[in-house]
């Protein structure tokens, strides 16, 4: 026979608040949030204007949440999605009373719940995040351990480097490393890339090389050196600016160094353009997902490069798919309904970094000035396409 519950025993079920992770027995606001979060939300929606502590707007939910802006946004997002959340089901064990309740729902009710709670998958953006970070780690360690006196492994990190002024010698090493890393990166993120011929793979990577180097170099400089607008990363761990041009050519074997410095400062690929590019990025303030989406669109912007029709079609499909994922990101992650102007801002950045012709001309001038030798790897890149 079934025993009666002990006197005073509550039949309510302990559960975790979907926002702060604290234990709650009552679903406040019609969703599984604790009383503290419900009180906070009611007060906050009456005019409080909080700022995200991390400036990202993406602080994680759970017991470590200490950001009022993101706490409010998480609650608002859950309320918008409906009276339940897929997180409850996913975090419950197979014999959980919550799962038992879900299994007893009418099929039509379960379908309605799924409609409100299912998060759209973003496979390309997810692959971009994972493999871009892997590529960064490869470049970070490869460049630093190629230095004459490399730092201790425990002193190395993506965020803090260490970072050094670039020279023309370290630039050649960084170029070799990034091109090798880009080949692996593209194979991991874009499955069709693996099936291309070796010459086609190399052509696509080199075609993207100049744009990527300037775009990423300015983007990362904005994160690490926000107040030094004339500075950009030349490699992953080395930076350059107009002020360090003399040092940049310090390890050149021969040639007219002073003339080369003047060409870099005021020529067709002049360093003053770097500051303008940095200012563009500073106005737009890209999040990491937007940076990765633009990077991928740049990769598949083939331009006048002679390729097979199949490769052109692959590029078109990826550009379209990336744009669709960016739309989903704005709607579901950023909670934006009107983001057309934002996409317009991003697309206007593409021509800012389309400087392949200028960079090729720049390296040709350095060769004529005898700064770069005929067999220099960086100089040979312009002849690879």
């Amino acid at each position: 026979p079934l025993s009666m519950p002990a006197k005073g025993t509550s039949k309510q079920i302990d559960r975790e608040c979907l926002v702060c992770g604290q234990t709650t027995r009552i679903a406040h606001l019609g969703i599984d949030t604790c009383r503290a979060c419900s009180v906070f939300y009611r007060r906050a929606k009456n005019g409080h204007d909080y700022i995200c502590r991390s400036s990202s707007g993406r602080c994680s939910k759970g017991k470590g949440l200490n950001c009022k802006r993101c706490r409010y946004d998480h609650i608002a997002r859950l309320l918008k999605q409906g009276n339940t959340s897929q997180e409850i089901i996913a975090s419950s064990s197979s014999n959980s009373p919550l799962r038992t309740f879900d299994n007893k729902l009418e099929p039509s009710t379960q379908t309605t719940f799924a409609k409100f709670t299912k998060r759209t998958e973003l496979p390309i953006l997810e692959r971009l995040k994972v493999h871009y970070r892997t590529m960064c780690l490869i470049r970070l360690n490869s460049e630093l351990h190629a230095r004459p006196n490399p730092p201790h492994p425990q002193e190395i990190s993506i965020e803090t480097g260490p970072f050094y002024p670039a020279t023309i010698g370290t630039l050649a090493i960084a170029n070799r490393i990034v091109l090798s890393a880009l080949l692996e990166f593209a194979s991991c993120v874009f499955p069709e890339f693996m099936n291309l011929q070796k010459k086609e793979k190399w052509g696509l990577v080199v075609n993207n090389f100049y744009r990527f180097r300037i775009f990423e170099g300015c983007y990362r400089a904005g994160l690490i050196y926000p107040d030094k607008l004339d500075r950009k990363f030349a490699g992953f761990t080395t930076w350059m600016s107009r002020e360090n041009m003399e040092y940049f050519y310090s390890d050149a074997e021969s040639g007219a160094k002073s003339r080369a410095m003047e060409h870099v400062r005021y020529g067709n690929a002049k360093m003053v353009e770097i500051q303008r590019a940095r200012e563009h990025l500073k106005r737009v303030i890209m999040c990491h997902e937007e940076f990765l989406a633009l990077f991928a669109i740049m990769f598949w912007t083939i331009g006048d490069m002679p390729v097979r029709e199949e490769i052109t079609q692959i590029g078109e499909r990826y550009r379209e798919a990336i744009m669709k994922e960016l739309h989903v990101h704005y709607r579901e992650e950023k909670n934006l309904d009107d983001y057309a102007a934002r996409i317009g801002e991003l697309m206007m950045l593409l021509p800012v970094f389309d400087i392949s012709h200028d960079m090729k001309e720049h390296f040709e001038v350095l060769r004529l000035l005898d700064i770069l030798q005929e067999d220099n790897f960086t100089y040979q890149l312009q002849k690879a396409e």
Side-chain angles (χ1 to χ4, degrees):
L2 296 174
S3 59
M4 296 294 291
K7 185 177 180 180
T9 301
S10 172
K11 295 182 181 179
Q12 292 175 322
I13 301 165
D14 286 344
R15 63 197 72 182
E16 285 189 357
C17 172
L18 291 176
V19 179
C20 70
Q22 299 300 319
T23 301
T24 182
R25 290 192 171 189
I26 299 175
H28 296 271
L29 299 173
I31 55 177
D32 276 1
T33 52
C34 65
R35 182 177 181 278
C37 282
S38 67
V39 171
F40 164 79
Y41 178 76
R42 287 192 177 98
R43 291 175 178 172
K45 70 178 182 179
N46 291 327
H48 290 281
D49 188 16
Y50 299 118
I51 298 175
C52 176
R53 290 172 64 90
S54 68
S55 300
S56 68
R58 293 184 283 118
C59 298
S60 299
K61 292 179 283 187
K63 294 184 178 180
L65 179 61
N66 190 29
C67 172
K68 292 182 179 180
R69 174 76 259 177
C70 291
R71 186 184 189 187
Y72 178 85
D73 289 345
H74 287 316
I75 298 171
R77 191 177 298 118
L78 288 168
L79 288 171
K80 186 177 180 180
Q81 289 174 344
N83 293 326
T84 189
S85 172
Q86 193 175 22
E87 291 183 42
I88 303 174
I89 300 171
S91 62
S92 303
S93 60
S94 59
N95 60 354
S96 165
L98 285 175
R99 185 174 291 278
T100 303
F101 170 77
D102 179 68
N103 290 338
K104 290 181 180 179
L105 291 173
E106 294 293 328
S108 60
T109 307
Q110 292 184 5
T111 302
T112 303
F113 277 19
K115 177 181 177 182
F116 282 103
T117 62
K118 186 175 181 181
R119 179 182 179 275
T120 306
E121 294 184 356
L122 305 175
I124 302 176
L125 276 176
E126 292 304 318
R127 292 200 301 270
L128 283 167
K129 289 179 185 177
V130 171
H131 296 294
Y132 175 72
R133 182 171 179 81
T134 300
M135 181 171 69
C136 289
L137 288 169
I138 290 171
R139 295 162 63 199
L140 171 75
N141 285 284
S142 298
E143 288 185 23
L144 289 178
H145 289 297
R147 299 187 68 84
N149 297 299
H152 190 278
Q154 290 182 309
E155 298 173 354
I156 296 174
S157 78
I158 287 179
E159 292 75 20
T160 61
F163 306 118
Y164 304 92
T167 67
I168 200 165
T170 61
L171 177 65
I173 295 172
N175 286 344
R176 283 182 177 272
I177 293 169
V178 71
L179 282 163
S180 299
L182 278 170
L183 285 168
E184 182 64 21
F185 169 85
S187 296
C188 293
V189 177
F190 312 116
E192 296 87 343
F193 183 86
M194 288 191 295
N195 300 322
L196 301 180
Q197 301 171 12
K198 289 178 65 175
K199 185 177 180 180
E200 291 171 333
K201 292 179 183 178
W202 183 247
L204 286 171
V205 167
V206 173
N207 181 64
N208 185 61
F209 168 73
Y210 298 105
R211 285 188 298 249
F212 171 69
R213 233 192 64 184
I214 301 296
F215 178 52
E216 187 209 38
C218 290
Y219 171 73
R220 289 185 57 238
L223 298 176
I224 296 172
Y225 303 115
D227 299 324
K228 298 178 179 179
L229 292 179
D230 69 329
R231 186 174 291 191
K232 83 168 188 73
F233 277 95
F236 193 84
T237 62
T238 56
W239 54 266
M240 62 189 303
S241 69
R242 292 177 66 183
E243 281 65 37
N244 83 321
M245 280 297 97
E246 185 172 354
Y247 180 77
F248 180 77
Y249 289 109
S250 62
D251 61 356
E253 294 182 2
S254 59
K257 295 182 183 180
S258 60
R259 291 177 59 192
M261 289 168 57
E262 290 302 312
H263 173 72
V264 172
R265 287 193 180 113
Y266 305 110
N268 204 23
K270 52 188 176 294
M271 285 294 295
V272 71
E273 295 296 333
I274 297 302
Q275 182 164 339
R276 293 175 185 169
R278 286 282 310 275
E279 289 170 351
H280 276 291
L281 293 179
K282 188 173 183 178
R283 285 194 295 270
V284 174
I285 315 177
M286 289 186 299
C287 68
H288 191 55
E289 289 81 1
E290 290 172 327
F291 163 72
L292 292 173
L294 280 189
F295 169 25
I297 290 171
M298 285 181 180
F299 186 91
W300 289 109
T301 301
I302 297 171
D304 57 0
M305 176 185 174
V307 295
R308 289 185 290 125
E309 180 63 24
E310 178 187 353
I311 297 177
T312 301
Q313 292 174 359
I314 291 172
E316 290 173 352
R317 288 199 300 270
Y318 269 114
R319 292 199 303 273
E320 181 180 354
I322 292 161
M323 288 301 300
K324 287 181 178 178
E325 291 196 11
L326 198 55
H327 282 250
V328 173
H329 171 74
Y330 287 134
R331 290 196 304 268
E332 297 188 5
E333 301 295 331
K334 298 292 188 182
N335 290 324
L336 298 176
D337 294 321
D338 184 9
Y339 46 82
R342 179 61 178 178
I343 289 181
E345 280 185 313
L346 295 180
M347 295 303 104
M348 288 178 67
L349 288 174
L350 294 176
V352 173
F353 297 96
D354 190 12
I355 58 171
S356 296
H357 175 76
D358 290 347
M359 292 302 296
K360 290 177 183 179
E361 182 178 300
H362 166 60
F363 289 128
E364 187 64 44
V365 171
L366 293 182
R367 172 68 192 97
L368 293 174
L369 292 171
D370 205 25
I371 292 292
L372 298 180
Q373 302 302 310
E374 182 73 30
D375 60 351
N376 181 277
F377 179 76
T378 302
Y379 174 68
Q380 287 296 321
L381 284 178
Q382 66 168 321
K383 301 181 179 296
E385 298 179 59

